[in-house]
Amino acid sequence: MPTSSDNVVLTPAGARTITVDAPYTVNNLTVGNNTTLNFNSTNSLTVNGNFLQSGGVFNGGTGTLFVKGSFSKTAGTFNEGSGSLRFNGTGAQTISVNDANRSFYNMVVNNGSTLTIIAPATNLTIANSFNLANGSFVIGTNTLTLNGSVSSMSAANNITGSASSNLVIGGSGSLGTLFFNTGTPGTSNQLNNCTINRSSGIIDLGNDVNIRTGLTLINGIISTSTNKVIINSTGTVSRTNGYINGNLQKYVATGAASRTFEIGDLSNYTPISINFASVTVAGDLLVSTSTPLSSYSNIGSIYLNTSQAVNRYWTLSNVNTLAFTTYSGTFNFQTADVIGGANTANLKAGVYSSSWIYPTMGTLNATNSTFNSASSLGTVVLATCLAPTAYGITGGGAYCSGGASVAVGLSNSETGVSYQLQLAAVNIGSPVSGTGSAISFGNQTPTGNYTIMATRTATGCTASMTGTATVSINALPALTVTGSTYTCAGSTSIQLNYSSPVNSPDEYEIIWGTAAHAAGFTDVAFAPVTGGTITIGGMQNSTGNFPVIINVRNNTTGCVNNISSGSICGMVNENQTLSLS
């Protein structure tokens, strides 16, 4: 029986079949021509040195091959079966095969160093389980395909890539967490091409990965957590049905530039497209989407109605030196994202950087919204208008013709809201800014029903205030005075006839001038207009002209009108004359 110090070379002159039917250990092993090496059940073979297949047939079955040195295949047939190939040396190890495509069923790396694919190998596939327990797997200039699951990977136990390394992830079910070598960020964690074609399950990313040339998303979801998939300046993304759940970073060159970000969450694909009007300094844009909307830390300060909104938000971050003038963005969402019965035709966007801005909206569809001419990046929210609070309109009423007009106001107001007075939907005067308390629009002369439209300054969201203020004009009362203007000396009053009352004159008053007051004449307070006569009283026996004014009043409207004025001429003990004009 061979021992751990034996170098075993299997190159018989004739055909020979050798079965590993118990655990064996050798130093170096060569499987050559005319040899068929079979594993019986789950037995193992440990090679303390190098394994070389230069011919013959290797049938792995369900057994385990331990290799502590290099693994090399230059000829022959290697059937991996459903067993395991374990690299458990104490230093750097290599894999070299002559097959254009070489598959291993299960592989374990536990050498505390590196396992490197070297020429002439090109495509290496691990069909089932890849356990990177201790060490780093170096792809080199080759393609590594993972069709099963990965385990035990960490920041220290990882995959090392390069500008010429390719990774394909196929199969189905959850892959596990991939870690890349970040010892030299952008180089050791770099892949030339990465293809995702996994029919189900999640591919978790334990740290950042850089894609130099192409990321092909056929099927499957890459979940980044706090890490990033970074598309370099020379890289592109081609998508059929996969996407990134998490952070996707893309390079943006100078000039007018457009980028699509193939992102979503664990359940939904919700990509965005960003179109820069002009990039003045090239850089990178990092994008992600998150749910629910309520989890965003600054959502409480937005001036939009988040109860009727898209229940997710997108984060756009400037990485490196990206500088631009403005950009437009189209944000896709699922029908199930729409909450509160929001009408997607009425959505508005809010973008938070250090404060909220509200860009002008473009095309609005059932499952996507576009905004235009935003000047800053940040967190994007789509929600309906938060209308200004509806307060009651105050004031209005009737005023007398030719008199002072009436005021119109609002019982309360909000800061950040402007209020426009309108008459028959036509603006009256300039808007009045809200103060947090009642506001006034001053006295209004034109008649009609006044309304007030409130507009939130930041978002343009509007609301009609409650009620109306009606302004009307009451006509002045009037009547015609006739009769004799003579009276006998010694009389203290004179009666005049009146006729043709207009607008219900209910009362009249007599107001004497200064000269009459000096002569002892007294005014007559408002007295009822009745019986067809007006009595001008308060007179004295005095000589001279005494000016007098007669006013009539409508008690219902309060309107007062001067119907005539003139003077009474008289001498003591002689007739007095009343002259009215």
Side-chain angles (χ1 to χ4, degrees):
M1 300 297 293
T3 66
S4 61
S5 61
D6 292 332
N7 295 318
V8 178
V9 179
L10 302 175
T11 56
R16 177 175 293 184
T17 298
I18 299 173
T19 301
V20 179
D21 56 3
Y24 291 105
T25 301
V26 299
N27 187 29
N28 296 307
L29 175 62
T30 299
V31 178
N33 292 332
N34 299 322
T35 301
T36 299
L37 181 64
N38 296 327
F39 278 72
N40 183 15
S41 187
T42 58
N43 288 305
S44 64
L45 175 61
T46 299
V47 180
N48 285 336
N50 300 321
F51 173 89
L52 169 64
Q53 183 179 9
S54 59
V57 177
F58 180 97
N59 292 318
T62 58
T64 301
L65 175 62
F66 291 89
V67 177
K68 296 186 178 182
S70 64
F71 180 99
S72 179
K73 177 182 177 294
T74 59
T77 301
F78 187 96
N79 298 316
E80 73 272 18
S82 59
S84 297
L85 175 59
R86 293 175 176 256
F87 293 87
N88 61 334
T90 58
Q93 295 179 263
T94 60
I95 299 177
S96 175
V97 297
N98 66 319
D99 305 306
N101 297 284
R102 166 48 45 203
S103 177
F104 298 103
Y105 191 72
N106 297 310
M107 180 181 289
V108 178
V109 178
N110 189 17
N111 65 6
S113 184
T114 59
L115 175 63
T116 304
I117 307 173
I118 62 173
T122 54
N123 300 301
L124 179 65
T125 298
I126 301 175
N128 189 45
S129 172
F130 182 31
N131 185 345
L132 238 176
N134 188 11
S136 181
F137 188 95
V138 182
I139 301 175
T141 60
N142 307 289
T143 298
L144 172 64
T145 298
L146 302 175
N147 286 334
S149 63
V150 300
S151 61
S152 302
M153 284 192 181
S154 66
N157 305 317
N158 52 52
I159 293 174
T160 297
S162 69
S164 302
S165 301
N166 303 310
L167 177 63
V168 177
I169 298 177
S172 62
S174 293
L175 176 74
T177 303
L178 281 174
F179 281 85
F180 292 89
N181 184 347
T182 56
T184 308
T187 300
S188 58
N189 65 336
Q190 183 177 197
L191 297 172
N192 181 40
N193 290 297
C194 181
T195 299
I196 307 299
N197 189 14
R198 200 167 182 87
S199 60
S200 63
I202 303 299
I203 302 157
D204 290 310
L205 194 62
N207 51 19
D208 294 351
V209 61
N210 288 65
I211 308 298
R212 177 178 178 269
T213 299
L215 173 61
T216 301
L217 301 169
I218 299 173
N219 273 304
I221 300 172
I222 300 176
S223 187
T224 71
S225 184
T226 59
N227 307 299
K228 303 185 292 290
V229 174
I230 303 170
I231 309 301
N232 292 354
S233 60
T234 56
T236 60
V237 177
S238 172
R239 178 187 180 270
T240 303
N241 199 34
Y243 59 89
I244 309 300
N245 168 34
N247 300 304
L248 177 58
Q249 179 177 319
K250 291 189 177 185
Y251 177 82
V252 184
T254 57
S258 298
R259 293 290 182 272
T260 296
F261 290 82
E262 297 82 1
I263 60 171
D265 55 32
L266 286 176
S267 303
N268 300 298
Y269 179 55
T270 54
I272 70 171
S273 296
I274 302 296
N275 299 307
F276 291 97
S278 177
V279 175
T280 55
V281 180
D284 290 83
L285 179 60
L286 177 64
V287 171
S288 65
T289 184
S290 303
T291 61
L293 183 58
S294 59
S295 66
Y296 178 52
S297 59
N298 290 304
I299 197 63
S301 61
I302 194 171
Y303 278 129
L304 291 175
N305 182 5
T306 56
S307 64
Q308 293 183 324
V310 175
N311 195 27
R312 70 171 58 246
Y313 58 95
W314 296 262
T315 302
L316 285 60
S317 302
N318 186 336
V319 181
N320 303 321
T321 57
L322 181 64
F324 57 91
T325 54
T326 60
Y327 70 95
S328 62
T330 298
F331 295 77
N332 291 274
F333 48 86
Q334 299 293 318
T335 302
D337 287 331
V338 180
I339 59 174
N343 185 347
T344 57
N346 295 331
L347 289 175
K348 288 185 173 291
V351 182
Y352 186 88
S353 179
S354 57
S355 61
W356 287 102
I357 65 169
Y358 303 91
T360 303
M361 299 307 292
T363 302
L364 300 175
N365 295 313
T367 56
N368 62 66
S369 296
T370 299
F371 63 72
N372 299 316
S373 301
S375 57
S376 62
L377 300 172
T379 299
V380 176
V381 169
L382 297 173
T384 54
C385 268
L386 180 63
T389 302
Y391 296 115
I393 298 174
T394 61
Y399 67 92
C400 298
S401 177
S405 52
V406 292
V408 175
L410 195 62
S411 62
N412 203 348
S413 65
E414 295 178 83
T415 58
V417 176
S418 66
Y419 298 87
Q420 178 64 60
L421 184 67
Q422 295 181 329
L423 177 60
V426 176
N427 292 345
I428 303 297
S430 299
V432 176
S433 297
T435 62
S437 58
I439 57 175
S440 174
F441 296 88
N443 285 7
Q444 303 301 318
T445 301
T447 61
N449 296 320
Y450 287 80
T451 58
I452 298 173
M453 179 64 68
T455 302
R456 199 172 294 282
T457 306
T459 63
C461 296
T462 61
S464 296
M465 297 296 96
T466 303
T468 60
T470 300
V471 174
S472 60
I473 299 175
N474 289 325
L476 297 180
L479 47 75
T480 301
V481 177
T482 59
S484 173
T485 59
Y486 294 94
T487 184
C488 296
S491 296
T492 59
S493 66
I494 187 173
Q495 284 191 332
L496 298 177
N497 298 321
Y498 69 84
S499 61
S500 304
V502 178
N503 299 321
S504 303
D506 300 308
E507 295 179 315
Y508 73 95
E509 68 174 346
I510 306 299
I511 300 175
W512 293 103
T514 302
H517 287 154
F521 286 47
T522 58
D523 296 338
V524 178
F526 277 109
V529 173
T530 183
T533 61
I534 291 177
T535 299
I536 301 176
M539 299 166 57
Q540 297 294 324
N541 288 321
S542 300
T543 303
N545 283 331
F546 301 104
V548 64
I549 296 173
I550 304 175
N551 292 328
V552 291
R553 180 171 69 184
N554 180 315
N555 280 336
T556 301
T557 64
C559 293
V560 176
N561 188 22
N562 171 223
I563 60 168
S564 61
S565 62
S567 61
I568 293 215
C569 301
M571 296 290 292
V572 177
N573 297 322
E574 295 183 2
N575 288 341
Q576 297 174 323
T577 302
L578 171 65
S579 176
L580 300 176
S581 60

